[in-house]
Amino acid sequence: MAHQKPAPRPINRRQFLGETAQMLAASSLIAMGLMGYGKHSHALPATALRPPGALPEEDFLGACIRCGLCVRSCPYNTLKLAQVGDDIATGTPYFIARDVPCEMCEDIPCIPACPTHALNHDLKKIDQAKMGLAQITDQSACIAFLGLRCEVCYNVCPVRGKAITLERQHNARSGKHALFIPVLHFDACTGCGKCEEACILEEAAIKVLPIALAKGKMQAHYKVGWQEKQQAGQALVTPDVEHQFNLPSGKRYDYYGEGLVDTPEEIAPPFANNPLDSLNQKQEP
Amino acid sequence: MANPAKEAGLAAIRSKGWWRAHQWLFLRRFSQLLVLGLFLSGPWFGLWVIKGNLNSSLLLNTVPMTDPYILLQSLFAAMLPASTAFIGVAIVLGFYLVVGGRVYCSWVCPVNIITDAAAWLRRRFNFKGKNFSINRHVRYWLLGLTLILASLSGSLLWELVNPVSMLHRGLLFGLGLGWYVILAVFLFDWLLSKNGWCGHLCPVGAFYSLATVVARVRVSADKRAQCDDCMDCFAVCPEPQVIKSALKGADQGISPVIYAANCTNCGRCIDVCAKDVFAFQWQKFIK
């Protein structure tokens, strides 16, 4: 006798509709709860930085499958996985710059370890990473602004002299000394956090902030004239033609608010154009 | 004569001896702990056999393994993974297509140890009747819901609360407040609903049940004629609805092989049957 597979349990229309309605109700409740919880966990705390090459947070949360392979591949134990109860989406990798910053390995082992593209596999040079953006967040605490020579952040920076430069300024307080002010440059800063870790203060005055928080953005229409000029090889606007006036004789137009003013009668200059003439001129008695 | 659920398995111990009445349970626990141990030996002893966690891992630094369900969620969130993840999914899915999808649940998943403990306590303290009953289809709705939510939110929302990945990842990387979630699952299964989590709600299991369609390894009630209606198998089975037609369907010409997608191939029915009705069976590819 050929055995059959069991027939599926018969179900009538009333049961089907009832069950469907129940499930839809329950599903929408769960969906509401999860969406609410999800929204809360989408707000990454500003101290938590993603590994190098991490997609923008919104995409990252869809691409990261929370496997922890990046954490395992990190030779410096920089990366951690968020635990339940942290303000970071459960199971996603992060690091806190002040505790353990990114050491910027040249081969970036965390990126090939990632089985998805949550960490962008196209990033090959760690210098091009953008994990965050360092900022002097408190000038009143940074001792460089007091006129002291600290420069620790400048010296620990892995892209030394590019991401942080020291700008010499006059020390107006003493009147005779210089200030060596650390200035951050976004194009070179990778957000590794070495500066924040090394800051000598009790609470760091230089902090690595997430790009989304730290980075400003010009309106799309805004053009920087001199850059455009350099690109085009010439000015993009028609150069101003010098304005011509037909003024009454003895008058001139003052551009700085005086308007029409009398021109004093022209007095012959005491010296001729040719200096020899002046020298040859006879002295008046 | 039906035995009380509390005494399920006693008859088998008497007739077959303790070992044969527990061998599949023992092997299953061994498998679960082995999987966990291979993952833990790295962070605990620096002996790296397998890195990552059940979501995605790397065996001996060469073989990638990726959970198909989490990757599906990521795809629904409109993110395309790297090729490693696809190879990993092919390996994992290939394995479960042969041995049965829900083998994941009973032989690998760490939550199973917790829910099995809850089910055992339920039987011991005779909670029969105090059951908050849930429709077993709920898990499929949850499965669909998790995918839709991934799509709507563009992020893996379910993974924020998924106790399965949470527990395994937590044991390896730190669980934080996740213990409360695991405790909740335990208490829910013990005091509220029989096999509530694994048998009714878990979308991970629901997903893996879909991979059971072509499974080659099945439990078969080959010697169902010997069944003495002791009901021990129904008492211990986490999905007892899968047994009935295979065990009692002889008259309707129904196959003794359990084809139901939600049989987890745990083999506990084989253990507790004093009459040796059940056995694992390899299904030939061509009949």
Side-chain angles (χ1 to χ4, degrees):
Chain A
M1 181 179 71
H3 286 310
Q4 311 161 347
K5 291 193 179 184
R9 185 167 56 97
I11 181 165
N12 66 34
R13 181 168 19 183
R14 180 181 290 261
Q15 276 174 325
F16 173 76
L17 289 176
E19 191 177 290
T20 308
Q22 275 182 338
M23 299 292 175
L24 280 176
S27 301
S28 55
L29 278 177
I30 295 166
M32 239 160 54
L34 265 180
M35 288 290 238
Y37 181 62
K39 248 205 168 75
H40 160 78
S41 71
H42 276 198
L44 187 70
T47 46
L49 301 172
R50 295 295 188 197
L55 299 180
E57 188 63 9
E58 217 170 86
D59 295 337
F60 185 82
L61 290 177
C64 170
I65 57 174
R66 284 85 156 142
C67 67
L69 281 167
C70 55
V71 175
R72 292 295 185 232
S73 70
C74 176
Y76 298 97
N77 291 324
T78 299
L79 295 174
K80 292 192 206 71
L81 283 193
Q83 302 181 4
V84 187
D86 290 345
D87 287 335
I88 308 158
T90 305
T92 56
Y94 72 98
F95 69 98
I96 306 282
R98 187 69 163 162
D99 298 341
V100 193
C102 171
E103 294 289 340
M104 288 178 55
C105 312
E106 263 183 43
D107 53 344
I108 332 179
C110 46
I111 292 183
C114 177
T116 72
H117 283 301
L119 304 183
N120 188 351
H121 289 223
D122 295 334
L123 181 72
K124 302 287 183 202
K125 289 195 177 125
I126 188 64
D127 285 356
Q128 286 163 8
K130 287 269 172 274
M131 295 171 269
L133 177 57
Q135 289 286 291
I136 306 283
T137 49
D138 189 358
Q139 300 191 354
S140 65
C142 173
I143 64 168
F145 287 81
L146 301 179
L148 296 162
R149 296 203 61 176
C150 168
E151 295 157 30
V152 167
C153 55
Y154 168 79
N155 283 311
V156 297
C157 179
V159 280
R160 188 167 179 273
K162 289 184 190 146
I164 306 177
T165 54
L166 293 174
E167 304 294 322
R168 217 164 74 170
Q169 286 178 15
H170 172 63
N171 185 341
R173 183 186 58 80
S174 72
K176 53 190 169 189
H177 299 103
L179 303 175
F180 291 84
I181 301 298
V183 175
L184 275 298
H185 302 278
F186 178 71
D187 49 345
C189 177
T190 63
C192 71
K194 294 286 281 183
C195 53
E196 184 179 338
E197 185 212 19
C199 180
I200 57 147
L201 299 177
E202 193 175 310
E203 178 72 39
I206 187 168
K207 291 197 169 85
V208 180
L209 304 176
I211 298 283
L213 188 66
K215 187 87 174 77
K217 192 181 174 192
M218 287 173 189
Q219 283 82 350
H221 66 262
Y222 198 95
K223 302 237 187 291
V224 183
W226 55 90
Q227 287 173 358
E228 299 292 320
K229 192 173 169 181
Q230 200 174 27
Q231 263 178 16
Q234 59 180 43
L236 296 183
V237 288
T238 325
D240 285 342
V241 183
E242 203 177 326
H243 220 88
Q244 305 279 327
F245 301 100
N246 291 320
L247 297 174
S249 62
K251 297 276 186 189
R252 118 189 124 71
Y253 189 83
D254 178 62
Y255 287 101
Y256 300 97
E258 295 293 315
L260 277 180
V261 287
D262 291 327
T263 322
E265 273 179 42
E266 288 207 18
I267 306 159
F271 303 106
N273 283 342
N274 187 347
L276 282 176
D277 290 350
S278 302
L279 288 172
N280 292 334
Q281 206 173 26
K282 282 184 180 166
Q283 289 290 319
E284 303 246 341
Chain B
M1 247 305 287
N3 295 330
K6 196 176 162 178
E7 289 164 21
L10 283 184
I13 295 174
R14 274 195 294 271
S15 66
K16 305 197 290 190
W18 190 91
W19 168 247
R20 281 202 55 225
H22 290 88
Q23 58 176 338
W24 290 110
L25 181 67
F26 181 86
L27 285 173
R28 220 152 51 75
R29 292 283 175 263
F30 180 74
S31 157
Q32 288 162 341
L33 295 175
L34 181 73
V35 171
L36 207 54
L38 291 179
F39 274 103
L40 280 171
S41 72
W44 282 8
F45 310 113
L47 197 69
W48 293 100
V49 183
I50 186 163
K51 287 176 184 171
N53 60 41
L54 285 178
N55 282 357
S56 193
S57 57
L58 197 60
L59 178 67
L60 299 172
N61 275 327
T62 40
V63 188
M65 290 189 277
T66 302
D67 181 77
Y69 173 50
I70 186 131
L71 200 78
L72 194 64
Q73 288 179 67
S74 188
L75 287 173
F76 266 81
M79 300 309 297
L80 205 61
S83 52
T84 341
F86 282 116
I87 298 168
V89 162
I91 290 169
V92 171
L93 208 54
F95 173 74
Y96 287 117
L97 282 174
V98 172
V99 300
R102 292 209 60 196
V103 160
Y104 174 84
C105 301
S106 57
W107 291 77
V108 176
C109 180
V111 175
N112 175 270
I113 300 176
I114 285 154
T115 53
D116 267 3
W120 180 80
L121 281 171
R122 253 189 114 76
R123 285 197 299 274
R124 286 292 299 154
F125 293 114
N126 201 11
F127 272 26
K128 204 177 172 186
K130 301 181 191 69
N131 187 23
F132 173 65
S133 135
I134 304 165
N135 190 315
R136 282 189 191 265
H137 294 161
V138 170
R139 52 186 152 193
Y140 293 104
W141 284 83
L142 268 177
L143 174 61
L145 187 69
T146 57
L147 296 177
I148 291 169
L149 282 179
S151 207
L152 286 181
S153 68
S155 80
L156 309 187
L157 271 190
W158 172 245
E159 289 307 305
L160 295 176
V161 292
N162 181 1
V164 176
S165 57
M166 190 186 285
L167 178 61
H168 190 256
R169 187 177 51 238
L171 290 170
L172 296 166
F173 293 91
L175 194 49
L177 297 181
W179 287 115
Y180 291 114
V181 179
I182 304 307
L183 183 69
V185 168
F186 172 75
L187 292 177
F188 178 72
D189 263 31
W190 178 26
L191 301 173
L192 279 173
S193 186
K194 180 171 183 266
N195 300 125
W197 177 253
C198 300
H200 298 75
L201 296 177
C202 180
V204 184
F207 173 84
Y208 275 104
S209 79
L210 301 179
T212 303
V213 193
V214 295
R216 296 293 98 197
V217 179
R218 305 273 190 179
V219 173
S220 170
D222 259 356
K223 299 181 186 148
R224 55 189 170 187
Q226 298 174 10
C227 174
D228 63 356
D229 296 337
C230 73
M231 298 294 281
D232 279 5
C233 55
F234 283 93
V236 295
C237 180
E239 305 274 351
Q241 80 281 5
V242 306
I243 299 179
K244 192 179 165 192
S245 57
L247 185 61
K248 296 291 160 194
D251 298 340
Q252 294 105 308
I254 294 172
S255 162
V257 180
I258 296 177
Y259 285 113
N262 275 307
C263 172
T264 68
N265 275 358
C266 73
R268 194 71 187 117
C269 54
I270 306 174
D271 279 347
V272 299
C273 182
K275 300 292 175 193
D276 280 334
V277 167
F278 299 95
F280 275 120
Q281 214 179 52
W282 175 260
Q283 305 291 301
K284 291 192 189 75
F285 283 93
I286 302 151
K287 281 177 194 167

